Amino acid sequence: MKKIPLITLERYPDYCNYLLTLGEECERISSGAIAKALGLGEVLVRKDLAYTDCVGKPRLGYNRVELIGALRSVLKCDVHKNAAVIGVGKIGHALLSYERFEKYGITLVCGLDENPDVLDENAAKPIYDAKKLNDVVKKYDIELAVICVPDFCAQTVCDEIVASGVKRILTFAPTNLKVPDGVIVRYMDLAANLAVLASC
Amino acid sequence: MKKIPLITLERYPDYCNYLLTLGEECERISSGAIAKALGLGEVLVRKDLAYTDCVGKPRLGYNRVELIGALRSVLKCDVHKNAAVIGVGKIGHALLSYERFEKYGITLVCGLDENPDVLDENAAKPIYDAKKLNDVVKKYDIELAVICVPDFCAQTVCDEIVASGVKRILTFAPTNLKVPDGVIVRYMDLAANLAVLASC
């Protein structure tokens, strides 16, 4: 499969969500209709979808169910992956009970923190001592880490995650993280997003 | 001022954050150094920064403090804005005590919910009955709304927000929202972000 540009990949959940809202009464859909609904250009939509296995037919468009399947396949929704949250403050805690990860095949299995007051190894979503990171990564086969710690310790926590073997990191701390080749960091800066919105 | 492309605006908080980490010992910085630190192309950085009032000097680069000021000016950090969260579940609750909005001049002043059990008009960050949306928007001069309600009612809540006069909406519900011209919606799909990371 061709390497899909990140910017394209980022639109795949939107396509999926939209196609799912259409329901079974919609059997086929054109790139033009998708483009209009999502406020995108039709050429862009056609290019984006050309990276999937689903081929649209002239004048008939894409089979909706096939297209959803193709998008979900690229997003690896049917491959189960475990994730852990490092830093169980309010945001970390909210994420642990956030149910929307499951539709992408991702389970946030546990949290880790260095504050003894929040640890609870017997909870439905256990919270372990941050010192046990290596053991937790092995035990649950953690592939994704979510950093929810304060900025000042984000790089240290990131280094520990990388050392534990996890190669995909989502961080809520707005600190530019240094990682070795092969490790990918994605930034989720809530405040910056609101600021950008306010400046539009 | 020229209209700044959204994709450029989205990088401004990253530039700001990076420049702030450098501290006072760094008086001037080149576009090349910024590009290298953030893993971006130098031409891109130079184009991005050309939208600000700060002019870099050949071989000397940008004055760091001036550049931070120019970026913050575009992001309107020094213009105070009030925001409200609609839907005070776990994510909404976490946002209400999230302190990082302040550095962009944004205060999340209150929440609104339709569940009587979570209402508390006397809290430091009061939580009002969702029926009072219009009054709350007037009382606090709310310019930004953050939607944290379940998907199925996101459009209804969005319509009410638009009717109340708010024109900038950040939504955590992964539902494609229809809004009239002049209203801007920004999507914050936490699960999709983790899924995209897992597919990279």
Side-chain angles (χ1 to χ4, degrees), chain A:
Chain A
M1 193 160 61
K2 283 174 287 184
K3 170 88 179 149
I4 304 180
L6 181 60
I7 191 89
T8 290
L9 206 52
E10 287 175 336
R11 283 187 287 265
Y12 277 16
D14 301 336
Y15 292 133
C16 263
N17 287 335
Y18 171 64
L19 293 168
L20 285 167
T21 60
L22 294 177
E24 288 182 9
E25 59 273 28
C26 165
E27 201 193 325
R28 303 195 77 95
I29 184 159
S30 68
S31 50
I34 298 173
K36 193 176 170 196
L38 297 180
L40 301 169
E42 189 179 339
V43 175
L44 179 82
V45 171
R46 230 180 292 138
K47 274 190 189 168
D48 278 356
L49 301 182
Y51 285 99
T52 71
D53 287 339
C54 186
V55 182
K57 287 185 187 164
R59 279 186 298 175
L60 288 171
Y62 302 89
N63 177 296
R64 188 186 64 91
V65 173
E66 277 179 29
L67 183 53
I68 292 172
L71 291 162
R72 286 179 54 87
S73 162
V74 174
L75 289 170
K76 298 181 186 160
C77 297
D78 300 321
V79 182
H80 187 263
K81 299 159 289 281
N82 282 340
V85 175
I86 294 94
V88 191
K90 283 188 179 155
I91 293 277
H93 209 81
L95 291 177
L96 275 179
S97 54
Y98 196 69
E99 287 163 5
R100 287 177 178 134
F101 297 116
E102 293 289 345
K103 74 173 175 182
Y104 294 106
I106 297 167
T107 307
L108 239 64
V109 287
C110 66
L112 295 114
D113 205 291
E114 56 179 26
N115 175 1
D117 295 343
V118 304
L119 306 187
D120 182 358
E121 297 199 0
N122 299 312
K125 300 265 180 159
I127 300 172
Y128 296 96
D129 188 322
K131 290 194 192 75
K132 296 187 179 172
L133 178 64
N134 286 330
D135 297 338
V136 167
V137 167
K138 281 200 194 81
K139 177 175 179 181
Y140 294 101
D141 192 17
I142 302 290
E143 293 178 56
L144 302 160
V146 183
I147 296 182
C148 291
V149 300
D151 307 4
F152 72 89
C153 58
Q155 183 65 57
T156 308
V157 165
C158 175
D159 293 344
E160 290 165 0
I161 292 167
V162 170
S164 79
V166 175
K167 292 186 163 43
R168 296 291 180 270
I169 300 168
L170 186 74
T171 177
F172 283 75
T175 305
N176 187 39
L177 297 175
K178 291 182 187 62
V179 292
D181 286 348
V183 176
I184 299 179
V185 175
R186 214 172 145 76
Y187 297 86
M188 193 88 262
D189 189 337
L190 303 179
N193 269 282
L194 201 51
V196 166
L197 178 71
S199 322
C200 282

Side-chain angles (χ1 to χ4, degrees), chain B residues 130-151:
Chain B
K131 290 192 192 77
K132 297 187 180 173
L133 178 64
N134 286 331
D135 297 337
V136 167
V137 166
K138 281 200 195 80
K139 177 176 179 180
Y140 294 101
D141 192 17
I142 302 290
E143 293 178 56
L144 302 159
V146 183
I147 297 182
C148 291
V149 301
D151 306 4

